[in-house]
Amino acid sequence: MCDRRRPREARLSRDGFSEQELDIMERLRQVQVETDVKAEAAELSTPNSAAEAPRSRLDDL
């Protein structure tokens, strides 16, 4: 993995990224790889309270 990252880091460094910025981007990539996005979204989501079929007020007449 280290050998694979070096050419990318060299290219990004040439493109104006500092060593610190490269480190931050690598840590963000690790978070993306290690995080179960679906589980996190499900935990943050609220239950759908409008699960019932829509009703017309005319039905009440």
Side-chain angles (χ1 to χ4, degrees), residues 5 9 12-13 16-29:
R5 285 182 14 192
E9 289 174 351
L12 290 173
S13 181
F17 290 98
S18 70
E19 186 65 36
Q20 182 181 12
E21 291 167 326
L22 294 173
D23 182 50
I24 291 169
M25 287 190 290
E26 182 60 33
R27 286 188 279 157
L28 288 171
R29 260 187 226 101

Side-chain angles (χ1 to χ4, degrees), residues 9 11 15 27 31 40 43-46 49 57 59:
E9 289 174 351
R11 186 184 89 259
D15 292 341
R27 286 188 279 157
V31 168
E40 293 288 331
E43 186 177 320
L44 294 172
S45 296
T46 56
S49 60
R57 285 188 271 165
D59 292 337

